[in-house]
Amino acid sequence: MQKQDLVGVWREQGRDIIRADGTSVADVPRASQIMYTGDGFMSVVSAPKGKSSVPETVARMDLDATTPEARAEAAAGVTAYAGTFEVVGDDVHHRLFTALNPNRVGNVQVGHVTLEEDVLTLTAPKDANGNYFRIQWRRVREE
């Protein structure tokens, strides 16, 4: 795997949780996009599909014009981070510069990569119970 293999825009096709016993459980449907640039930057935003609109007093991209409760609901289940990436063997390392979850800033997220034509699969390391996430992405060619 080379860094250049990942360069582009990818949209999530689905994700599942693989349990320690080998069974697979589909995760909630999500609207997700990950981008890799040729000079080593990356970003990802992932949110559950079907989120409700929030009340706001002015049109803004952030959620500061709404209530704390509406902000919490809008952010629930969302993953968003950006930084740099490198390919190490068959793994990709995401070095987080910024993230919705401030506890992750400065962390390195490692995923195992498989690539078959325009389908990218990222597999997370196993957790303490032997379970792991697997996410399938499809390369975006044109809108």
Side-chain angles (χ1 to χ4, degrees), residues 46-106:
S46 176
K49 286 185 177 180
K51 286 185 116 7
S52 299
S53 296
V54 297
E56 57 187 356
T57 56
V58 295
R60 300 171 55 142
M61 289 301 295
D62 62 36
L63 295 169
D64 291 346
T66 192
T67 66
E69 296 79 16
R71 279 195 298 276
E73 178 61 29
V78 174
T79 299
Y81 64 86
T84 59
F85 79 98
E86 68 176 320
V87 174
V88 179
D90 287 333
D91 292 338
V92 62
H93 294 208
H94 297 163
R95 297 184 191 291
L96 280 55
F97 168 74
T98 189
L100 178 63
N101 181 345
N103 297 347
R104 299 295 168 247
V105 173

